Amino acid sequence: MIRSFLLAACIALTGTCAAQPALPSSFVAKTIHSPAGADIYVRSGGHGPVVVLLHGYAENSDSWAPLAYDLMKDHTVVVPDLRGIGKSSIPTSGYDKKTQAIDIRAVVTSLGYDKTVVISHDIGIMVAYAYAATYPDKVERLVIMDAPIPGLGPWTDILQMPGVWHFNFHGPDAERLVQGRERIYFDRIWNDFTADPAKPDDATRNFFTASYTRPGGMRAGFAQFAAFSQDAKDNQEFAKTKLTMPVLAVGGEKSMGALEGVIMKSTAVNVQSEVITGSGHWLMEEKPTETIALIRAFLQQPATAK
């Protein structure tokens, strides 16, 4: 209780905190079975319109702590761990994002909800896009933050960039190489994509690393990338029908930047593109105050705004 209070106070005053991230202790935890063959751990709380937060790789659902504390004041906030990550189960398959969209739909409906806003980051945006494309009438607004989407926009060019070496680093030998050295592996990713070497901080890095060190955790993490070729095929099919809900595409200035908007404008008709000045990829750790303000403004816009 004391730890949660201090974290909330720290976030409210500074937008950051030296402690590891943690969702509000008032959130209710539940494990929901997906018909796609996974048990999804989800926490939820607050009151008001429903917002689903989908986290990315090298993190888990606690990465949304700053935004969750803010939105819970006037929204119902639903925060699942993606399959294979955090406290969700680790199935042997199903890491393509079309399948994971089924997981998220099971979470939403099992909690008694239907239409929601979806906010996403990193790998989470790939699941969010598949979800919005599969259930377009169930997504009121969509926020996509700082990652490419397989098969969309300049995907082929992105795959040639040295910085995305980890997209093709997976399989049994990769698992053996990082076993017991998971923090070293994740440090390379965190350092490559941050604009501030101190962020994520050390406590946060240790906490997120622990999410992947349980048996099968790294295999599941790598499987997110191994599924990209299938994701690209699925997304090219999805893109034949453009999304019509309002979309906010956010890039960190030192990471995806304006390219995030370019990608989403190739597959959606109502896109607002924004760049977080001075930020790298890790928006919740590097620039939480600015990112939350952008999301808040987007949520408050009339539905017809472009």
Side-chain angles (χ1 to χ4, degrees):
M1 179 68 73
I2 293 175
R3 181 180 177 279
S4 296
F5 173 79
L6 291 174
L7 177 63
C10 185
I11 290 171
L13 290 172
T14 68
T16 60
C17 192
Q20 68 187 46
L23 292 176
S25 60
S26 61
F27 277 23
V28 175
K30 188 174 183 180
T31 298
I32 292 170
H33 181 71
S34 165
D39 294 319
I40 304 300
Y41 178 77
V42 58
R43 286 168 287 176
S44 60
H47 58 87
V50 183
V51 177
V52 178
L53 309 182
L54 300 180
H55 69 85
Y57 184 67
E59 297 186 316
N60 63 22
S61 55
D62 284 296
S63 64
W64 290 115
L67 183 60
Y69 273 99
D70 184 271
L71 289 181
M72 68 182 287
K73 295 178 289 188
D74 51 12
H75 288 79
T76 299
V77 184
V78 176
V79 199
D81 281 331
L82 298 180
R83 69 164 56 201
I85 299 176
K87 294 183 179 179
S88 289
S89 68
I90 304 177
T92 57
S93 61
Y95 294 92
D96 63 281
K97 311 314 174 285
K98 186 176 179 179
T99 296
Q100 292 190 70
I102 299 172
D103 296 343
I104 302 308
R105 188 63 190 160
V107 166
V108 171
T109 58
S110 294
L111 292 176
Y113 308 125
D114 186 29
K115 296 183 179 182
T116 75
V117 170
V118 178
I119 299 174
S120 56
H121 175 247
D122 189 75
I123 290 285
I125 81 168
M126 304 174 191
V127 179
Y129 174 69
Y131 184 85
T134 303
Y135 312 102
D137 60 329
K138 305 304 182 185
V139 178
E140 297 171 320
R141 292 176 183 269
L142 177 63
V143 179
I144 297 291
M145 299 201 299
D146 211 80
I149 298 180
L152 300 186
W155 174 247
T156 301
D157 294 334
I158 289 170
L159 288 178
Q160 307 308 312
M161 296 178 179
V164 298
W165 59 271
H166 57 292
F167 285 8
N168 290 308
F169 185 77
H170 48 76
D173 289 337
E175 293 173 44
R176 291 170 58 212
L177 283 168
V178 302
Q179 186 175 5
R181 307 176 185 88
E182 292 88 354
R183 171 64 193 267
I184 297 172
Y185 162 77
F186 283 122
D187 274 340
R188 182 71 272 143
I189 295 172
W190 288 319
N191 293 341
D192 281 351
F193 295 101
T194 186
D196 181 351
K199 297 176 182 177
D201 63 32
D202 195 59
T204 298
R205 293 180 184 215
N206 285 334
F207 173 67
F208 285 145
T209 298
S211 291
Y212 294 81
T213 57
R214 59 188 175 136
M218 289 306 300
R219 173 185 58 77
F222 290 149
Q224 299 283 353
F225 301 109
F228 279 1
S229 59
Q230 182 60 51
D231 294 335
K233 294 175 184 177
D234 292 337
N235 291 339
Q236 288 165 358
E237 191 64 29
F238 285 144
K240 292 178 180 179
T241 303
K242 290 199 170 186
L243 302 179
T244 59
M245 75 286 293
V247 176
L248 173 63
V250 181
E253 179 191 12
K254 307 298 183 181
S255 185
M256 292 293 291
L259 182 57
E260 199 66 56
V262 172
I263 292 170
M264 290 313 298
K265 286 175 182 177
S266 73
T267 192
V269 299
N270 186 354
V271 179
Q272 175 184 336
S273 180
E274 300 288 349
V275 175
I276 301 292
T277 303
S279 184
H281 176 66
W282 313 103
L283 298 169
M284 282 292 103
E285 290 79 21
E286 297 182 62
K287 296 287 184 179
T289 302
E290 295 85 345
T291 305
I292 291 169
L294 264 185
I295 292 170
R296 272 284 181 187
F298 176 66
L299 296 181
Q300 292 165 4
Q301 289 176 2
T304 56
K306 291 187 180 182

